[in-house]
Amino acid sequence: MTPDEGSHYDPGQRQGLDPKRRRRWHDPWIDQCTPSGCTIMLSESQKAIVRATVPLLDACGEALTTHFYGILLREYPEVRPYFNQANQLTGDQPRALANGVLMYARHIDRLEGLGDLVPAIVNKHVSLRIRAEHYPVVGTCLLRAIREVLGAAVATDDVIEAWGAAYGQLADMLSGAEEAVYKAQASAEGGWRDERTFRVVEKTVESDEITSFRFMPVDGLPVLAHAPGQYIGLRVLVDGIDVRRNYSLSAIADGRTYRISVKRQPGGLVSNYLHDMVGVGDTVELYPPSGHFVLEDSGRDVVLISGGVGITPTLAMLDAATQTGRTIHFIHATRHAGAHAFRKTIEDLASSYPRLRHYFCYEVERAGDPEPHAWGFLDKQMLARWMPEAGTADVYFLGPKPFMKVVRDSLRALGVPQAQARFEFFGPAASLD
C-alpha cells in the first residue's frame, strides 16, 4: 500500500498542531520545503518561460511524462527498483508526475503555494531511499522528453534552459529536504539510515486476501517509533530482481517491531511474493517509517473511514485514538465478509472501549456471512447516520479511488470542513475531481 504524491494533509503548522506534539523526525524538512531552502533560483525571464508552458503541460503533460518514463526506465535500468511497473502500465504514475509538473509550473513564482505536494514527494522518496545522485539522471531524461514531445520549434534552447533551471531548483529543494530527513532518522532513538535487516516473527492470515507480517530487527536493537498512519519502505529480491514497495504500518508503535498487512493483488509482484514465499524466520530489508498522513491530536472526535485494504493504517490510528479517550467512529466498507480483515479485532476493542462506534458495510451478501450494518456501496446516507455532527470530528479516509471520491463528495455535502477531512492515495497521486 503506497501513500503518494497527492494526499493533502500535512500534520504541522497549517493544521494548527502544537509543534511540540509533532514527531521530531518530521521537523527538519518543514522549513526546507520552501524557496528559502534552495540554492538555485530562477531569473525572471526563466520564470516567464516556465509560466508560458503551463497551457502546453495542461494539454500534453501525460504524453510528455509517459515518454519521459520510457526513456528513464529503458536507458537507466538501475532506477527500475524504485518504480512499481504496474503503475506504469495503468498510466497512474505518468499522470501523477504530469500533475506534479503542472502544479510546479503554476506555482513557480510562489513555491510555498505547492502546499502538501512537496512534503508528500519528500516522504515517498525517503521511504524508497531516493538519493541526490538520482536527480541528474531524472533531469536529463525530463529535458530530453520535453524537447522530443514538444518538438524543437516549441521546446527551443531558451525553453530547455529555463526548464533546466526550474528542475535544478526543484531537485535542490527536494534533495536537501530528503537529506535532512535521512540525518534526522539516523540520529533518532531506534533510527537508522539505509537498509536494515528484519526477520519475520509472525505471519497471520487476516482475511481471504490480506495477511499480516510482523518484523523484528535482526540486530535486536530498538526501532524508530512511527506516527499512526505512516508507512514503511520494504526491499526484497524477487527472482533476483531488486524491488521496493511501501506498506502502511497496521499496528501502533511498540519500539520493537513493525507490522504490515498486505493484500494479495492479482499479478502483484511483491504482494504475491510476500504471501507465497515469505514466512516466519525469513528476512527482508526495511527503511525507516515515513509519511505525513498521520493522526492529529486535535482533541476532536475521530472518524476513520476505509475501503478494502485501506483499513490498514486506520488500525494504528484507532489504537492511538483510544489512548486519548476520544470518541471514535470506525466505518469500513468491503465486498463481503470473506474479504473483511480485522472484524473481530474491531469488535473486541469496541467491547472494552465504549467510546468506539463501529459500522461495517458489505457490497454483496453471501450465505452464512455475518450481518454487516448495511448492504451495498457506502454512500452519503450511511455516513449521515454513522458520523457525528459536521465540524465536531476529524475525518480520515482512504481506499480505492472511486470509493474515496464518493466519500469526499459525501463529506462535502454533509458540511464537513475541508481542513477536517484528510485522505491519502495508495499508489501514485490522482485526482478525485
Side-chain angles (χ1 to χ4, degrees):
M1 232 171 304
T2 311
D4 314 86
E5 303 139 7
S7 67
H8 73 292
Y9 167 50
D10 176 15
Q13 300 157 341
R14 291 194 298 279
Q15 297 295 340
L17 183 59
D18 181 351
K20 294 180 180 179
R21 301 194 68 92
R22 282 172 18 212
R23 296 285 181 179
R24 64 188 178 97
W25 52 88
H26 287 174
D27 294 349
W29 54 259
I30 288 178
D31 293 332
Q32 294 208 30
C33 293
T34 65
S36 62
C38 301
T39 59
I40 299 174
M41 302 300 290
L42 276 70
S43 68
E44 289 304 315
S45 61
Q46 289 171 331
K47 289 181 181 180
I49 290 174
V50 171
R51 287 194 300 271
T53 61
V54 168
L56 291 173
L57 294 175
D58 210 4
C60 63
E62 191 173 333
L64 189 153
T65 54
T66 299
H67 188 62
F68 156 77
Y69 278 116
I71 298 170
L72 179 68
L73 299 177
R74 182 177 62 251
E75 300 188 12
Y76 298 90
E78 66 271 18
V79 305
R80 290 177 187 167
Y82 299 91
F83 296 93
N84 187 333
Q85 298 305 308
N87 294 329
Q88 301 294 329
L89 295 175
T90 62
D92 288 345
Q93 189 70 58
R95 278 190 291 273
L97 178 60
N99 177 66
V101 171
L102 181 60
M103 286 185 65
Y104 178 56
R106 283 175 171 162
H107 293 87
I108 199 69
D109 292 307
R110 187 174 171 271
L111 295 184
E112 57 268 27
L114 291 170
D116 297 334
L117 178 65
V118 173
I121 293 173
V122 169
N123 274 280
K124 178 67 176 295
H125 285 183
V126 164
S127 73
L128 298 174
R129 264 16 194 191
I130 300 296
R131 300 188 301 273
E133 56 264 34
H134 291 132
Y135 283 94
V137 170
V138 171
T140 297
C141 296
L142 181 62
L143 295 180
R144 178 176 156 189
I146 291 173
R147 174 64 65 88
E148 293 178 356
V149 171
L150 299 184
V154 175
T156 63
D157 289 346
D158 287 342
V159 169
I160 295 299
E161 181 181 356
W163 265 103
Y167 175 79
Q169 177 180 263
L170 180 62
D172 185 52
M173 178 171 60
L174 294 177
S175 62
E178 289 153 13
E179 178 59 26
V181 179
Y182 293 145
K183 289 179 178 178
Q185 288 179 332
S187 63
E189 181 180 358
W192 70 100
R193 182 172 178 113
D194 294 316
E195 292 91 352
R196 186 173 175 186
T197 304
F198 283 70
R199 180 172 286 111
V200 178
V201 294
E202 291 178 10
K203 182 177 181 180
T204 307
V205 175
E206 309 289 3
S207 74
D208 294 348
E209 304 169 332
I210 296 174
T211 294
S212 292
F213 300 82
R214 187 175 292 275
F215 304 107
M216 182 176 289
V218 170
D219 59 27
L221 298 175
V223 299
L224 185 67
H226 61 278
Q230 287 191 306
Y231 49 91
I232 197 109
L234 177 146
R235 179 184 180 221
V236 293
L237 291 176
V238 181
D239 296 328
I241 300 173
D242 181 358
V243 289
R244 306 179 188 207
R245 293 291 188 271
N246 306 122
Y247 290 103
S248 294
L249 290 157
S250 60
I252 198 168
D254 64 10
R256 301 178 299 105
T257 66
Y258 295 121
R259 187 183 76 175
I260 62 173
S261 301
V262 181
K263 179 182 177 181
R264 182 193 290 274
Q265 300 287 355
L269 179 66
V270 178
S271 67
N272 282 280
Y273 174 79
L274 291 173
H275 275 251
D276 296 335
M277 306 302 295
V278 175
V280 173
D282 291 331
T283 60
V284 299
E285 304 293 328
L286 297 182
Y287 302 110
S290 300
H292 69 303
F293 175 72
V294 299
L295 183 71
E296 178 185 345
D297 190 5
S298 67
R300 289 187 286 266
D301 291 350
V302 178
V303 179
L304 302 172
I305 306 173
S306 57
V309 75
I311 194 173
T312 53
T314 66
L315 296 171
M317 291 180 169
L318 173 61
D319 280 345
T322 62
Q323 296 181 10
T324 65
R326 298 155 79 180
T327 299
I328 307 160
H329 301 256
F330 191 95
I331 301 169
H332 181 63
T334 190
R335 296 196 314 281
H336 50 70
H340 188 176
F342 302 103
R343 174 167 180 156
K344 187 175 186 303
T345 299
I346 302 303
E347 291 174 336
D348 288 348
L349 181 59
S351 66
S352 62
Y353 187 79
R355 302 192 72 177
L356 170 59
R357 285 86 160 134
H358 64 287
Y359 308 94
F360 304 137
C361 174
Y362 293 167
E363 294 176 21
V364 297
E365 184 173 0
R366 303 189 312 176
D369 278 354
E371 288 281 324
H373 298 86
W375 297 101
F377 293 97
L378 187 69
D379 58 23
K380 184 180 73 172
Q381 288 69 35
M382 295 178 194
L383 291 175
R385 294 198 306 269
W386 297 341
M387 285 178 50
E389 183 180 350
T392 64
D394 293 325
V395 183
Y396 302 83
F397 65 97
L398 65 171
K401 186 169 67 173
F403 169 87
M404 290 172 60
K405 176 171 171 49
V406 169
V407 173
R408 194 278 310 269
D409 292 347
S410 298
L411 295 178
R412 286 181 175 177
L414 293 172
V416 176
Q418 183 175 344
Q420 290 172 227
R422 304 167 183 117
F423 65 90
E424 182 169 61
F425 287 101
F426 292 161
S431 173
L432 295 182
D433 295 313

